[in-house]
Amino acid sequence: MKENEVNDIKVIPFGGVRENGKNMYAVEINEQIFILDCGLKYPENELMGIDVVIPDWSYLKEHADQIAGVFLTQGHADAIGALPYFLMDFQVPVFGSKLTIELAKLTVKNNKQVKKFNDFHVVDPNTEIDFNDVTITFFSTTHTIPQTLGIVLHTAEGNIVYTGDFKFDQTARGDYKTNLSLLAQIGDEGVLLLLSDSAGAAITGANTREKDIAEYIRDTFENHDGRIVVGSVASNIMRVQQILNAAVATGRKVVLSGRDLEQIIDTAIKLGEIQVPEDTLIKMQDAAELDPNEVVILVTGRMGEPLKALNSIANGEDQDIQLGEGDLVFVTTTPSYAMETMEQKVTDALYRAGAAVKFIGQDLNPSGHANQNDEQLMLNFMKPKYLMPIQGEYRLLDQHAVLAEEVGIPKENVFLMNKGDVLTFKDGEFYIGDHVEVGNTMIDGIGVGDIGNIVLRDRRILSEDGIFVVVATIDRKNKKIVARPQITSRGFVFVKTNRQLMKQSADLVEKVIQEDLDQKEFDWSHLKQNVRDKLNRFLFNQTKRHPVILPVIMEINQHPKHKNRSKKDQDNAKSSVKSKKQHSSRGRGAKRHRAENK
């Protein structure tokens, strides 16, 4: 690391604070910007029709030439899901562990606009990257996916450490194991600022050890005499391995259902992160030839979220999987906060389909995030001067701050940030300085950011009160209504049983339009707004509802009269004019002839 004095440090969260998921943090050091993770989150219930939500990085577009790269901690969607959209705007290097990079490549490959991007770089805990004023190193942590890394930015003022998702599990092995001695070494070097995972700050007891979770899954498989449909997050490699091990131990074959799952497992197998005996994985058609107690169907949905896929199965919308008596649906993941309401609805639908249902979270605490003891242990390893709790709703960030005070970090040195807050370091101290505008970017189908608050508001109103369409035809020149307004309603009231309401609405619209036509100055926008306002008040008084009102006003006699005549009339008119001209010419010729005779 270069021993240059650091003049300016800024840390800006673009997501991951006061919310679940969507982790993305920008650290600006001496005109260089380092992006830590680039994730998405699944939408809350009120975001109707939205597939996923990603950070709004408009601010970075003004500083694109300063971005040194994107540094990924792990391969879950909350860390890499927004990467394809980010690379559409910024063609910068991407760094991560071997598995993380392979999963990132899968995510990018599925986006047509950036599928050819290939500026990926594999790093590990022994990697050191020199960026002049900053040197970046990495350390291994324990999470539900192997090769998870924390990130250290070494500066002349001290280390800035980003933990990413982590927990401490003494039974973790191989690429899941945390290097405790390296954590102590980083802390001894001096940590200026710690960005630490807060997602488990409310967990007071110990997380269930992964060794115990594996035994629980195996016991479930052994004690059910029938087919088992397992719901899991595709990128939770540890859980997938436990499910495969339990299937092998109980003599079952495994069917993979979900394109994401197949791609991720195939990648993990190639990298040696999943071990599966030969002939364990079979096709769906082969499962039909086996007894139900010999089959496990592993299900994930789009981007790895299993609940939506299970909901489709429960409602009979899946062509390959039909549930019935004797089936067990075993959900081995803890749904995110945004999915809690859906979890209840899916559970109900699964029971109605005839299956038994079991959630691992009802018996164990299978969290992949640090509990309160883990968070305080990390604080004691790092001994940071300043703390920025991340990855959680405000209540979790606040709880993390309380835990930090208990281990001796002054309250004024803990910053509970909001998206867009700029944590600035100057003259030896951090403080919250400026604020940049940071919102959410909604992804709906192939649309990126084309859904805003107005569209979401209209979707909500349509879902609650429906739509009311009014069609009328006017003759503006003669100031009259040519055709009585026609009304169509969808999702508002049933027209056939509300004929009186329809008639009164048409009468009101007719009156409003005529009043506008009688004015000296006619304005289209004023007319339509008038119809909306008057009709909205009337309908609310009658029904206590506010439907979306869509007035469609058409006009006749828009052009001068001769432009509206038929082609035949125009041709006849031309012939008549031509005959008159010829007659006039003959008259002038006769006069000239008579004059010459004289």
Side-chain angles (χ1 to χ4, degrees):
M1 183 190 70
K2 304 289 189 297
E3 293 298 329
N4 297 337
E5 181 181 355
V6 174
N7 299 313
D8 190 21
I9 299 176
K10 294 179 181 177
V11 181
I12 307 173
F14 286 85
V17 290
R18 309 193 185 197
E19 63 183 350
N20 288 290
K22 197 155 65 70
N23 300 311
M24 180 177 170
Y25 313 91
V27 181
E28 182 177 338
I29 304 174
N30 283 359
E31 304 301 321
Q32 290 188 99
I33 298 177
F34 304 90
I35 305 298
L36 309 181
D37 280 338
C38 192
L40 57 76
K41 73 172 182 177
Y42 296 104
E44 285 84 3
N45 296 325
E46 62 266 22
L47 296 181
M48 297 178 172
I50 300 302
D51 295 327
V52 294
V53 183
I54 64 173
D56 167 24
W57 43 68
S58 302
Y59 167 82
L60 292 174
K61 292 181 181 179
E62 303 170 10
H63 307 274
D65 58 335
Q66 295 176 239
I67 301 176
V70 178
F71 301 83
L72 304 175
T73 58
Q74 42 96 0
H76 286 162
D78 61 352
I80 68 172
L83 187 61
Y85 307 102
F86 187 84
L87 295 177
M88 288 165 61
D89 291 327
F90 311 100
Q91 297 283 306
V92 297
V94 178
F95 302 85
S97 67
K98 191 170 185 179
L99 176 62
T100 300
I101 289 298
E102 290 302 317
L103 295 179
K105 286 180 179 179
L106 282 180
T107 304
V108 170
K109 181 182 176 182
N110 291 330
N111 186 297
K112 292 181 180 179
Q113 295 189 46
V114 291
K115 65 180 182 179
K116 293 184 179 180
F117 177 87
N118 198 32
D119 194 2
F120 293 102
H121 304 269
V122 174
V123 299
D124 60 39
N126 297 316
T127 302
E128 184 176 292
I129 309 173
D130 187 9
F131 290 94
N132 295 322
D133 293 339
V134 182
T135 300
I136 295 184
T137 61
F138 307 87
F139 59 94
S140 58
T141 60
T142 301
H143 191 43
T144 57
I145 186 170
Q147 300 183 20
T148 300
L149 298 174
I151 301 169
V152 185
L153 291 83
H154 301 263
T155 77
E157 301 289 346
N159 294 334
I160 297 175
V161 179
Y162 172 49
T163 67
D165 294 340
F166 80 94
K167 66 177 181 176
F168 292 108
D169 185 343
Q170 302 307 313
T171 66
R173 299 180 180 180
D175 287 339
Y176 292 96
K177 193 172 183 178
T178 301
N179 188 335
L180 300 178
S181 61
L182 183 55
L183 292 184
Q185 180 182 329
I186 294 168
D188 290 341
E189 290 176 5
V191 175
L192 176 65
L193 174 67
L194 176 66
L195 285 71
S196 186
D197 177 10
S198 306
I203 303 173
T204 54
N207 290 336
T208 306
R209 299 182 306 172
E210 292 298 335
K211 177 176 177 291
D212 297 330
I213 292 174
E215 292 176 0
Y216 174 83
I217 294 173
R218 177 172 174 169
D219 289 344
T220 299
F221 281 24
E222 285 180 342
N223 294 322
H224 182 73
D225 186 20
R227 188 175 63 164
I228 302 176
V229 178
V230 182
S232 179
V233 173
S235 57
N236 189 335
I237 302 297
M238 182 179 288
R239 194 74 67 245
V240 171
Q241 182 69 73
Q242 292 164 343
I243 292 164
L244 291 172
N245 291 346
V248 171
T250 56
R252 294 175 182 265
K253 303 296 184 183
V254 180
V255 178
L256 303 181
S257 176
R259 183 167 174 266
D260 282 354
L261 180 62
E262 292 180 6
Q263 289 183 329
I264 290 171
I265 288 183
D266 185 53
T267 300
I269 289 174
K270 289 178 180 177
L271 295 179
E273 295 295 349
I274 284 182
Q275 288 77 42
V276 52
E278 192 175 352
D279 299 329
T280 299
L281 301 178
I282 62 173
K283 299 292 184 183
M284 187 70 72
Q285 57 266 31
D286 298 329
E289 300 174 5
L290 300 175
D291 290 336
N293 60 5
E294 296 179 311
V295 177
V296 171
I297 301 176
L298 184 52
V299 174
T300 66
R302 185 173 181 269
M303 295 190 177
E305 178 57 58
L307 283 183
K308 291 183 180 180
L310 292 175
N311 189 53
S312 297
I313 293 170
N315 292 319
E317 298 169 2
D318 191 293
Q319 295 179 350
D320 297 320
I321 307 172
Q322 289 80 38
L323 295 177
E325 295 291 336
D327 288 336
L328 170 67
V329 176
F330 183 26
V331 183
T332 62
T333 182
T334 304
S336 64
Y337 172 78
M339 292 289 178
E340 284 182 355
T341 302
M342 187 175 187
E343 176 189 345
Q344 301 305 317
K345 292 181 179 178
V346 171
T347 302
D348 187 68
L350 290 169
Y351 275 113
R352 283 190 277 110
V357 183
K358 187 173 186 177
F359 279 84
I360 194 172
Q362 294 174 351
D363 297 323
L364 306 177
N365 178 26
S367 176
H369 299 274
N371 60 23
Q372 293 185 351
N373 288 334
D374 291 346
E375 286 175 345
Q376 290 186 323
L377 180 57
M378 179 63 81
L379 289 168
N380 284 327
F381 268 123
M382 294 296 169
K383 303 183 286 288
K385 183 177 180 181
Y386 295 95
L387 171 67
M388 177 177 155
I390 55 171
Q391 295 175 227
E393 296 176 320
Y394 183 85
R395 60 187 174 84
L396 298 175
L397 305 184
D398 185 67
Q399 182 60 47
H400 200 165
V402 172
L403 297 171
E405 286 185 65
E406 291 177 356
V407 297
I409 297 178
K411 185 175 182 179
E412 60 271 18
N413 286 12
V414 180
F415 297 96
L416 304 183
M417 304 283 282
N418 205 344
K419 292 191 295 290
D421 285 347
V422 182
L423 187 61
T424 304
F425 181 79
K426 215 155 199 174
D427 299 327
E429 293 185 349
F430 268 114
Y431 62 92
I432 297 180
D434 298 332
H435 181 88
V436 299
E437 198 61 38
V438 173
N440 290 324
T441 300
M442 267 74 82
I443 308 297
D444 187 1
I446 63 171
V448 180
D450 57 350
I451 304 296
N453 291 330
I454 294 175
V455 174
L456 290 175
R457 181 203 64 192
D458 287 346
R459 287 185 179 183
R460 178 180 57 79
I461 294 173
L462 284 168
S463 72
E464 294 174 354
D465 294 330
I467 188 170
F468 202 79
V469 182
V470 180
V471 181
T473 306
I474 64 173
D475 181 345
R476 185 152 52 105
K477 182 179 179 181
N478 295 315
K479 295 183 178 294
K480 66 178 184 179
I481 300 173
V482 176
R484 179 172 169 76
Q486 299 296 311
I487 293 177
T488 302
S489 171
R490 291 290 183 273
F492 175 57
V493 294
F494 187 50
V495 174
K496 290 185 178 179
T497 58
N498 289 273
R499 295 187 184 280
Q500 186 62 26
L501 180 65
M502 298 297 109
K503 180 181 181 303
Q504 292 173 344
S505 299
D507 291 341
L508 175 62
V509 172
E510 197 168 13
K511 179 182 176 184
V512 172
I513 292 176
Q514 191 59 59
E515 288 175 352
D516 268 72
L517 288 172
D518 291 338
Q519 300 295 322
K520 288 184 178 180
E521 296 293 331
F522 180 86
D523 183 84
W524 281 104
S525 59
H526 181 269
L527 170 61
K528 291 184 178 182
Q529 191 58 47
N530 230 1
V531 170
R532 287 192 195 97
D533 292 344
K534 299 285 179 62
L535 197 53
N536 186 50
R537 282 196 291 270
F538 171 74
L539 292 175
F540 182 75
N541 289 334
Q542 297 295 316
T543 66
K544 302 304 177 187
R545 302 179 208 164
H546 285 295
V548 173
I549 297 173
L550 183 61
V552 180
I553 313 296
M554 299 181 290
E555 181 184 4
I556 65 169
N557 268 346
Q558 300 178 54
H559 307 292
K561 188 173 180 181
H562 72 272
K563 291 186 179 179
N564 289 323
R565 289 181 298 183
S566 68
K567 188 175 185 302
K568 183 178 179 182
D569 292 338
Q570 292 175 15
D571 290 340
N572 290 338
K574 289 178 182 178
S575 299
S576 175
V577 170
K578 186 176 181 182
S579 298
K580 289 179 181 178
K581 285 182 178 179
Q582 289 173 347
H583 178 73
S584 176
S585 298
R586 285 196 297 270
R588 285 194 298 270
K591 288 179 183 178
R592 284 198 300 271
H593 180 70
R594 287 194 294 270
E596 289 170 355
N597 288 336
K598 288 180 180 178

